[in-house]
Amino acid sequence: MREGSYTYKLFSRSDFSAFWALFTDNLINLMVLAGVCQFVFGMPAEIVYGRILPGAAVAILSGVAAYVVLAKRAAARHGRDVTALPYGISTPVMFVYLFGVIGPIYWATNDPMLAWQVGIGAGFMGGLVGPWLKRVTPRAGMLGTLCGIALVFIGTVPLATVFEQPYIGFASMIIILWGLVGRFRLPFNIPAGLLALIVGTLVAFSIGEARISLEGTGFYPPLPYVGDLIAGIRHLFANPELFLVLVPVQIYNFIETMNNVESAESAGDHYPVGVCQITDGLGTMIGAVFGSPFPTTAYIGHPAYKRMGAHAGYIIGVGLVIPAAAFLGLLAFLNNLIPEAAAAPVLVFVALSLITNTAHCVRTEHMAAVTIAMMPHVSSFLMIKWGALMGALQATGVEGLPQLGDEALTAALLQQGAHFAGHQSLSQGAILTGLIWGAIVASVIDGRFRNAGGFALAAALMSLVGIIHGASLHWPQLGPVSAGYLIAAAFLYIYPLFHREGAAQNQNVVLEEPPATPAE
């Protein structure tokens, strides 16, 4: 059918149900990031509700406008109804920015303003990063290191919150397991995430654990923060190791967009991948200018919204309601109202989804690469908790405590089976270390020894200057870890030259990787 001969209706009756599902997804993300920024990183409400959330709302609004235009063009081109791509803050990448960029700056400086400035600088620069590294990095390495973050930070910590407040947490958790994990229908087709928040909040009210507060509400118009953005970018260039967090997560964001566009195509709606990736990058950069550090992306779930019969009205609704709630401070009201334990099960589901979807979208033999890529994040988690334990002991008045890293303490920990030195080394640059080891293992499995050797050599060079396995950047210094990487690289380059037949045999079994479908 000739383009332009078909009139596309933006709204349909089915958009209402789809709206609640997408709105709940975005709402929970915004509530969680606001809670972490305010109560974990100590950011004042003026930054959280006056800058970050309005900036995120502007990013969502701009992306929604672009995807509505793309939907209208696709409908006109194909002469039939299409479902617009869902859009919002990327949940896995949001947590990477929280605990990989903003958190380390805050913990190192105790300066929430600087942490926010670096965050928006990272968000802006991240929007410029393309998927160039994807050409040589196996998917198992990139997804595996994100699965590590999902396991320890997105999943384990919220699950502990559930058990700290079991009345609230269990009531919410069982609904999430029923509706999102088990995918069983709930009464009136109410979204499981929304019902979990409602039930958890009602239980909290019944036991006196919830309150109605207007603290933080008000009018927060979106404003550009160019000066703060420039200050954050300057700090990034002064500490270039932070770019090594941005590269893998932004590559993941581009892959996430690509995979979600592919899933839309499998459902019958065709969108240009490159345009969608540019849209997500520009949306992220616009949000950063207006105060939000967090990347936006085309969401997973288009086929589900397609089955509902949604058009574009559901994302238009989200694009109007979320900004209105952010600009009027209603998100602050909801954040005060809904207890953490009621929202925590949603994050547990996100972790489960990311890990299980990764298991489905990589080859079975590559699960070894995914697994090893997760391990450095366990070490990172242990280091954070050991530091928190020492801080708690000092806060309770215990005197004469040694510092973590003290030789006597390290030796004593080793005697007790706590390998502090090894975990410390693994935790330094955990995101990049996980990606490297996942790529090495996946490349070896495929018989791509030169590719594996290239990653080992790159790891050696980075460890020489403290990008990974070091507390800070320094002049090149050959240490045991760097030497170990050099030995591994030499083996991977030289040994296959004498065993070409075996290498060729391994390469013959390499299959094409299926498209990934990472969860929001």
Side-chain angles (χ1 to χ4, degrees):
M1 184 173 293
R2 183 173 57 87
E3 184 174 346
S5 62
Y6 174 78
T7 301
Y8 175 57
K9 294 182 179 179
L10 294 176
F11 297 90
S12 74
R13 183 175 299 178
S14 301
D15 279 307
F16 182 73
S17 297
F19 161 79
W20 277 111
L22 183 61
F23 171 73
T24 303
D25 200 349
N26 273 280
L27 175 65
I28 291 171
N29 276 347
L30 294 174
M31 288 175 55
V32 169
L33 70 87
V36 172
C37 288
Q38 187 174 11
F39 300 114
V40 177
F41 301 147
M43 291 185 182
E46 189 274 332
I47 291 180
V48 177
Y49 300 112
R51 301 187 182 191
I52 292 178
L53 293 186
V58 170
I60 291 172
L61 181 60
S62 62
V64 164
Y67 280 118
V68 169
V69 172
L70 288 177
K72 291 181 66 175
R73 289 182 178 176
R77 184 165 54 252
H78 300 292
R80 55 177 174 78
D81 290 338
V82 300
T83 298
L85 286 167
Y87 183 77
I89 301 292
S90 173
T91 306
V93 179
M94 175 186 79
F95 278 94
V96 174
Y97 270 64
L98 280 171
F99 295 103
V101 178
I102 299 174
I105 296 297
Y106 171 73
W107 290 319
T109 64
N110 286 320
D111 187 344
M113 176 63 76
L114 177 61
W116 168 71
Q117 290 174 335
V118 174
I120 61 174
F124 186 87
M125 296 300 295
L128 296 173
V129 179
W132 57 270
L133 194 58
K134 180 181 179 291
R135 299 176 185 174
V136 297
T137 306
R139 178 178 293 155
M142 287 186 287
L143 294 183
T145 193
L146 291 166
C147 283
I149 295 172
L151 175 66
V152 296
F153 293 110
I154 305 178
T156 302
V157 173
L159 186 60
T161 302
V162 169
F163 278 81
E164 286 176 344
Q165 295 180 295
Y167 292 120
I168 302 169
F170 277 47
S172 180
M173 175 72 93
I174 195 62
I175 296 172
I176 294 297
L177 294 178
W178 181 272
L180 294 181
V181 179
R183 298 182 181 180
F184 291 103
R185 181 179 176 182
L186 291 167
F188 308 107
N189 283 328
I190 186 171
L194 177 62
L195 183 60
L197 292 178
I198 293 172
V199 171
T201 302
L202 290 176
V203 172
F205 264 113
S206 68
I207 61 175
E209 294 292 332
R211 63 189 179 94
I212 296 177
S213 172
L214 298 179
E215 181 183 356
T217 58
F219 180 56
Y220 300 109
L223 299 172
Y225 297 98
V226 178
D228 293 295
L229 176 63
I230 293 174
I233 293 174
R234 285 176 177 170
H235 191 90
L236 280 172
F237 279 101
N239 298 272
E241 65 272 13
L242 290 173
F243 280 102
L244 301 170
V245 176
L246 304 184
V247 170
V249 298
Q250 202 60 35
I251 289 170
Y252 171 84
N253 215 35
F254 273 85
I255 294 172
E256 185 177 30
T257 298
M258 179 184 69
N259 291 331
N260 293 335
V261 171
E262 288 177 358
S263 72
E265 186 169 344
S266 69
D269 291 345
H270 304 275
Y271 293 101
V273 176
V275 174
C276 292
Q277 289 176 328
I278 292 172
T279 298
D280 293 350
L282 289 176
T284 298
M285 295 169 70
I286 291 171
V289 171
F290 283 87
S292 171
F294 303 105
T296 52
T297 185
Y299 267 15
I300 195 172
H302 172 279
Y305 298 124
K306 181 76 172 177
R307 287 193 298 271
M308 292 181 185
H311 287 194
Y314 79 109
I315 68 168
I316 294 175
V318 171
L320 295 176
V321 174
I322 289 291
F327 301 158
L328 297 175
L330 297 179
L331 292 175
F333 171 77
L334 291 175
N335 219 40
N336 294 331
L337 175 66
I338 299 173
E340 184 180 359
V346 179
L347 302 181
V348 176
F349 164 72
V350 170
L352 293 176
S353 296
L354 183 58
I355 296 171
T356 54
N357 285 345
T358 296
H360 287 302
C361 73
V362 301
R363 304 199 331 259
T364 302
E365 56 268 33
H366 275 188
M367 281 306 297
V370 172
T371 304
I372 198 170
M374 296 168 66
M375 293 179 180
H377 297 284
V378 177
S379 296
S380 178
F381 182 74
L382 286 173
M383 291 300 300
I384 291 173
K385 295 306 175 184
W386 282 341
L389 174 62
M390 298 298 287
L393 290 173
Q394 292 175 350
T396 55
V398 179
E399 298 179 355
L401 287 173
Q403 295 293 320
L404 282 175
D406 178 81
E407 291 186 8
L409 178 59
T410 300
L413 286 170
L414 182 60
Q415 288 181 347
Q416 298 298 320
H419 299 269
F420 175 83
H423 285 302
Q424 183 183 43
S425 180
L426 272 172
S427 70
Q428 293 163 337
I431 293 176
L432 200 58
T433 300
L435 186 150
I436 288 169
W437 279 98
I440 290 173
V441 171
S443 298
V444 168
I445 291 170
D446 292 343
R448 300 169 62 201
F449 300 115
R450 287 187 177 181
N451 201 61
F455 276 100
L457 183 59
L461 295 176
M462 285 187 283
S463 63
L464 278 173
V465 294
I467 293 173
I468 57 176
H469 312 305
S472 61
L473 292 177
H474 51 72
W475 290 105
Q477 188 177 35
L478 183 63
V481 174
S482 304
Y485 278 122
L486 289 173
I487 293 171
F491 178 87
L492 289 166
Y493 276 119
I494 297 172
Y495 186 80
L497 296 176
F498 302 97
H499 292 77
R500 292 180 179 273
E501 182 178 350
Q505 184 177 359
N506 283 343
Q507 289 174 334
N508 287 336
V509 302
V510 175
L511 304 174
E512 183 180 356
E513 290 184 329
T517 55
E520 258 56 37

